[in-house]
Amino acid sequence: MKLRWLFALTALFWMSCGSSEGDGEVKITPTQDPILESDTLFQDVEEKDQRVELPAPDYDTTAWAEILEVTDGIHIDLRYATENNFTEKVLYDCPRCFLRPEVAEALRLAQMDLKEKGLGLKVFDCYRPQFVQEKMWEIIPDPNYVANPKSGSMHSRGLAVDVTLTDSLGNELDMGTDFDYFGVEAHSDYLELPTPVLDNRQLLRETMENYGLIGIRTEWWHFSMRGLSYPLDSMRWDCP
Ligand SMILES: [Zn+2]
């Protein structure tokens, strides 16, 4: 397309030069060169085509950052926005992944690191409002499965993220168990698993920890940023 236009414009340029030679009225200076000007325009259009137009943030950007598939390349599958979670209830009105800005930045760096290896991240949960934590506790008041909202969850501080590895197409890699599987098979020190599964878990953990997102023993998917202080929060995000 671009070459065809260039050819046409080049032809026009030479035609206009040819017709102006005789009467001497038209002078083309370097700044008026139609080929250079049109080429610049095409570059602008090509770059504009690749730019993603995003709506203005509808949240407090000093307190939160949002992970977006379209710009961050991180796949978002917030299980609590579906019934496909251990409570079997929809707990979020819509799936939006918010984190504290420092945590979001660390996650983006981990994603860029994995992308160079032909892999990526998929998030299952990000910031979890305190009122949702309370609702979870109402459904399953068992500290083995749910953090007591009195002490709160790192998710409700915006400091934790639940995440897995994907291939370049977004297909989940085998991590041995599903997200929110409550059993020893999900523990990071459980080694009775096929080597590829152990390798996947190790790669996820090493990558996340390189950016300050530290794992826990009982859930291979859970990582949180230590050394930061944010309160338990009940920020409720808007849905489209
Ligand atoms: Zn978690």
Side-chain angles (χ1 to χ4, degrees):
M1 186 67 181
K2 184 177 165 184
L3 279 173
R4 206 161 64 204
W5 273 100
L6 271 176
F7 179 79
L9 285 162
T10 306
L12 275 171
F13 172 71
W14 286 114
M15 280 164 70
S16 76
C17 285
S19 65
S20 65
E21 271 174 4
D23 54 35
E25 284 175 8
V26 179
K27 287 179 183 169
I28 298 175
T29 63
T31 54
Q32 290 170 318
D33 187 331
I35 294 177
L36 285 176
E37 282 179 10
S38 65
D39 204 20
T40 307
L41 276 174
F42 268 109
Q43 280 176 6
D44 285 348
V45 170
E46 282 171 0
E47 282 167 17
K48 199 177 176 186
D49 286 347
Q50 289 171 6
R51 220 175 289 145
V52 178
E53 293 206 11
L54 296 172
D58 59 353
Y59 55 91
D60 177 3
T61 53
T62 63
W64 298 100
E66 183 173 14
I67 298 293
L68 295 167
E69 279 191 4
V70 69
T71 49
D72 299 316
I74 297 170
H75 294 273
I76 295 173
D77 178 19
L78 293 203
R79 292 285 193 88
Y80 301 127
T82 75
E83 288 181 353
N84 183 19
N85 67 70
F86 75 104
T87 70
E88 298 180 347
K89 291 192 165 45
V90 178
L91 299 170
Y92 297 159
D93 295 335
C94 61
R96 293 181 69 179
C97 174
F98 288 94
L99 293 166
R100 297 299 181 180
E102 299 91 334
V103 184
E105 188 55 25
L107 195 69
R108 289 178 181 132
L109 291 172
Q111 167 71 14
M112 286 165 67
D113 193 336
L114 288 164
K115 194 179 174 191
E116 287 178 9
K117 299 179 170 83
L119 300 171
L121 292 171
K122 177 192 266 193
V123 292
F124 296 125
D125 198 26
C126 304
Y127 157 66
R128 183 188 307 153
Q130 178 69 353
F131 60 83
V132 171
Q133 191 67 29
E134 285 163 4
K135 201 168 174 184
M136 266 185 189
W137 184 253
E138 273 171 34
I139 300 166
I140 302 178
D142 182 340
N144 291 317
Y145 299 97
V146 178
N148 188 325
K150 278 184 186 165
S151 50
S153 160
M154 290 291 269
H155 284 283
S156 300
R157 298 179 191 278
L159 294 174
V161 62
D162 297 330
V163 67
T164 192
L165 289 179
T166 70
D167 64 17
S168 60
L169 300 173
N171 302 306
E172 289 177 34
L173 300 196
D174 188 356
M175 304 302 271
T177 77
D178 195 6
F179 161 66
D180 267 359
Y181 175 88
F182 298 107
V184 290
E185 293 87 345
H187 292 191
S188 56
D189 54 2
Y190 183 81
L191 303 177
E192 303 300 310
L193 294 163
T195 304
V197 172
L198 295 174
D199 289 347
N200 290 342
R201 286 189 182 185
Q202 188 179 352
L203 177 60
L204 176 63
R205 194 169 182 122
E206 280 178 4
T207 306
M208 296 292 276
E209 294 192 344
N210 278 343
Y211 297 101
L213 293 162
I214 311 301
I216 56 172
R217 190 182 69 83
T218 52
E219 299 175 353
W220 60 258
W221 55 83
H222 178 98
F223 296 88
S224 62
M225 188 164 271
R226 315 283 166 80
L228 275 180
S229 177
Y230 279 102
L232 296 170
D233 209 298
S234 275
M235 184 273 283
R236 183 191 286 268
W237 59 78
D238 288 336
C239 292

